[in-house]
Amino acid sequence: MSKLPHLSPLPLRYSAYALSLLGLAVSLFGLIILSPGWGWGVLVFGLLVTLGSYDLLQRTRTVSRNYPILAHLRYNLEAFGPEIRQYLIQTDTEQVPFSREQRRLVYQRAKGISDKQPFGSLHDMNHPGYEWMNHSLTPVETDKADFRITVGVGRARPYSASVFNISAMSFGALSANAISALNDGAREGGFYHDTGEGAISPYHRRGGDLVWEIGSGYFGCRDESGRFDPERFRRNARQEGVKMIEIKLSQGAKPGHGGILPAAKVTPEIASTRGVPQGEDVISPAAHSAFSTPREMIAFINELRDLADGKPVGIKLAIGHPWEWFAIVKAMLETGEHPDFVVVDGGEGGTGAAPLEFINRLGMPLSEALQLVHNTLVGAGLRDRVHLAAAGKMISAFDIARAMSLGADWCNAARGFMFALGCIQAQSCHNDRCPSGVATQDSLRGSRLDVPSKAQRVARFHANTLAALAEMLGAAGLSHPAELGPEHVLHRVSRHEVKSFSELHDHLTPGELLSGGADRHPVFRDYWESAHAESFSPPEAVIQLRYSKLV
């Protein structure tokens, strides 16, 4: 007697597909027998059946083959995961990368509404890592909050910079309206606007002070082969709006990494601004072609300063191998020449999209990098001639005070000013779908950003942040941020130990590196003497370590 074949029950994971088939059958019956109104059911269930059939037949997504239709719920939830966490799960103080508290502070100051908070701090002040400033029993009144620092003293065209400015963001990364609003805000507020390496666009020429950033692609000053063109540089650098020149050696978002702007994004406007062919990929090399040694870099700085009619020229870098930074300082000492300023970009990342490994694991964090650069300049006897700026997650007055206590003369912010423009941290900067119209080249999305109102918010965020800085300084008994030192900021090492920055970090004395006193500081002991102005190459001892694993 033969047995009937065993029929396995339909797996539960196919239930959505089976119900769609059933719904389509019922809808078809209703459409034919009952009324035309069933046509909506045919349309809806027909689309679901089509989707489920495609899921079963395709071979690239196993989850979709095992869970037809249902898998798309997972994909959609995954796509909206950052928004769900940001708005529904994260606490007010969780910084990923910026907390709700930080964003709210910027929005309030940009809009000119009260930024006061009731009922005490949300932070656990006993948690290791918590930091604060000490106040004074003899507070002072500050007359104004327009703190400034003169850069390029002794040059033909020095510049009086605000202690808080807009960091590098290119036209191409940001929309035309976003760049316009930033520049208008900088003009109204009296602070500078860094162009980013994408050159000086028409939207930068609205009257705001500019720092023109020159990257390895030499956009705005390149010849047909992509190399530096002195004459094109001279024409742009001598524009009245350009106040300083900044050579970008590396950036915190992707240190040591080049970039590519795909041909599809090279619009006629971007091609004209950058001086590149339209419809071709635009390459930003990882390294500069105008110099290859520290000495050559110093010579390039001098060349740019002459071509710019004596305007201050500086460098911007994220710190990596310490011997490379030491080699630059050695070149300053041996040539007797130096950049007018150094902008230290923290490895915490920034507005530039980059591979995850670069964002998370490459580049020295701002605190350590700033301390190393400041200490080196002090130890080499150059600190009074080279000004120092810090860039990296600057949102509040305390962020600025903290960086200046570690040695910075001024601070730059990128994402903070993006928040002032209306950025909601959707983290869509790289896919051209920015919902706020800030970081996009989609003309429709970008055009929705209202330039006059956002420019006012940019200016108000700057003014209100500096007003808060003035209040913090006054409470600490200080009248200018230049008076801040490492003794003013305290760091909780553990629940039972607190140290000021002056205790927590080593500090070189002026000229200490020149008198052989670097032996008591490990990084200087290991790399200062072996660094050379003629090369960025690692010391021989480092090379031997690299080869030792092959022995």
Side-chain angles (χ1 to χ4, degrees):
M1 183 176 176
S2 61
K3 292 183 178 180
L4 293 174
H6 176 68
L7 298 177
S8 300
L10 187 70
L12 188 61
R13 63 179 182 270
Y14 288 102
S15 58
Y17 184 54
L19 288 173
S20 298
L21 286 168
L22 179 61
L24 178 60
V26 171
S27 298
L28 283 170
F29 177 82
L31 177 64
I32 296 170
I33 303 299
L34 300 177
S35 73
W38 286 87
W40 286 107
V42 173
L43 177 62
V44 171
F45 287 112
L47 290 173
L48 288 172
V49 168
T50 302
L51 178 62
S53 300
Y54 171 78
D55 287 341
L56 289 170
L57 294 172
Q58 58 83 35
R59 294 183 175 275
T60 57
R61 290 181 169 179
T62 305
V63 175
S64 293
R65 298 183 77 189
N66 280 323
Y67 296 85
I69 301 177
L70 289 174
H72 293 275
L73 293 175
R74 174 193 181 275
Y75 298 141
N76 288 330
L77 287 172
E78 187 178 57
F80 288 106
E83 287 82 4
I84 292 172
R85 289 190 294 272
Q86 178 175 331
Y87 294 114
L88 301 178
I89 299 174
Q90 291 169 4
T91 66
D92 281 352
T93 59
E94 188 176 356
Q95 297 186 33
V96 280
F98 289 90
S99 69
R100 187 180 288 108
E101 181 184 68
Q102 290 173 311
R103 298 194 306 273
R104 184 170 59 238
L105 178 67
V106 177
Y107 298 148
Q108 290 169 333
R109 288 180 173 168
K111 293 175 183 178
I113 61 179
S114 175
D115 59 358
K116 305 302 184 285
Q117 177 177 302
F119 225 67
S121 176
L122 298 177
H123 295 264
D124 180 1
M125 297 185 180
N126 293 313
H127 191 275
Y130 181 78
E131 293 177 344
W132 70 93
M133 273 181 64
N134 275 347
H135 66 283
S136 172
L137 289 177
T138 57
V140 300
E141 287 288 336
T142 52
D143 295 332
K144 58 180 181 178
D146 185 24
F147 304 118
R148 309 193 78 83
I149 186 80
T150 302
V151 189
V153 175
R155 307 295 185 193
R157 312 236 349 232
Y159 175 63
S160 177
S162 170
V163 298
F164 190 42
N165 304 281
I166 301 171
S167 195
M169 294 180 284
S170 301
F171 170 57
L174 266 56
S175 67
N177 282 24
I179 295 292
S180 298
L182 288 173
N183 199 256
D184 286 358
R187 182 192 66 238
E188 183 179 336
F191 52 100
Y192 79 63
H193 178 192
D194 193 310
T195 65
E197 65 176 310
I200 306 171
S201 74
Y203 311 104
H204 288 102
R205 299 186 176 99
R206 299 171 66 93
D209 289 350
L210 293 178
V211 170
W212 182 17
E213 183 177 272
I214 308 295
S216 57
Y218 304 113
F219 300 125
C221 58
R222 59 188 267 144
D223 60 20
E224 287 68 21
S225 62
R227 301 184 70 84
F228 176 72
D229 185 320
E231 181 54 31
R232 291 179 181 177
F233 172 82
R234 186 188 66 79
R235 288 199 301 267
N236 276 322
R238 295 197 179 193
Q239 292 180 36
E240 184 57 35
V242 176
K243 303 302 181 182
M244 300 197 294
I245 311 297
E246 177 182 286
I247 304 169
K248 192 197 84 168
L249 304 181
S250 56
Q251 67 183 92
K254 44 185 175 181
H257 193 283
I260 180 170
L261 187 65
K265 292 188 176 181
V266 184
T267 64
E269 197 169 38
I270 288 178
S272 173
T273 295
R274 298 195 177 198
V276 299
Q278 184 186 346
E280 296 181 15
D281 291 343
V282 179
I283 306 296
S284 295
H288 280 261
S289 59
F291 56 86
S292 59
T293 71
R295 276 184 177 272
E296 291 175 358
M297 189 192 77
I298 296 297
F300 186 60
I301 290 171
N302 290 337
E303 179 186 5
L304 296 192
R305 191 181 293 115
D306 291 340
L307 291 169
D309 196 27
K311 293 178 180 179
V313 178
I315 60 174
K316 166 186 156 182
L317 77 167
I319 297 296
H321 296 312
W323 58 81
E324 295 175 346
W325 162 242
F326 294 164
I328 293 173
V329 177
K330 288 279 186 78
M332 298 182 205
L333 292 171
E334 293 181 17
T335 63
E337 302 287 348
H338 55 82
D340 297 299
F341 61 92
V342 175
V343 178
V344 180
D345 208 9
E348 292 87 347
T351 58
L356 185 67
E357 294 85 353
F358 279 75
I359 289 176
N360 287 342
R361 304 298 178 184
L362 271 180
M364 193 178 293
L366 179 61
S367 294
E368 288 74 16
L370 186 58
Q371 181 199 358
L372 179 65
V373 172
H374 171 70
N375 258 339
T376 309
L377 292 173
V378 169
L382 295 168
R383 187 62 184 85
D384 60 335
R385 285 173 275 175
V386 181
H387 284 103
L388 189 55
K393 298 192 77 171
M394 298 291 166
I395 293 290
S396 69
F398 177 74
D399 297 331
I400 298 172
R402 183 186 188 281
M404 298 187 82
S405 75
L406 287 171
D409 293 308
W410 75 86
C411 296
N412 295 336
R415 289 169 288 183
F417 282 101
M418 286 176 66
F419 290 141
L421 289 173
C423 167
I424 61 171
Q425 195 173 275
Q427 300 183 52
S428 299
C429 309
H430 61 301
N431 60 21
D432 221 26
R433 294 198 296 269
C434 172
S436 57
V438 176
T440 180
Q441 288 306 300
D442 183 313
S443 58
L444 183 59
R445 289 174 181 265
S447 66
R448 297 297 187 247
L449 189 151
D450 184 71
V451 173
S453 65
K454 299 302 184 183
Q456 291 178 5
R457 292 189 180 189
V458 167
R460 279 197 294 260
F461 169 58
H462 174 269
N464 289 330
T465 301
L466 288 191
L469 178 63
E471 289 183 349
M472 287 193 77
L473 292 171
L478 308 174
S479 58
H480 193 280
E483 299 172 26
L484 282 164
E487 72 279 8
H488 288 111
V489 179
L490 289 92
H491 178 96
R492 181 172 291 283
V493 179
S494 70
R495 298 189 73 87
H496 307 290
E497 185 180 13
V498 170
K499 289 187 176 182
S500 69
F501 279 0
S502 59
E503 300 172 287
L504 200 59
H505 304 298
D506 286 333
H507 297 277
L508 271 66
T509 58
E512 186 175 352
L513 292 175
L514 306 179
S515 58
D519 288 347
R520 66 188 183 92
H521 305 279
V523 68
F524 294 102
R525 181 184 64 235
D526 293 341
Y527 302 121
W528 172 255
E529 291 299 332
S530 54
H532 297 287
E534 292 76 21
S535 175
F536 288 111
S537 298
E540 184 62 31
V542 173
I543 295 175
Q544 291 301 319
L545 283 174
R546 293 176 181 177
Y547 285 109
S548 64
K549 60 181 176 288
L550 303 177
V551 176

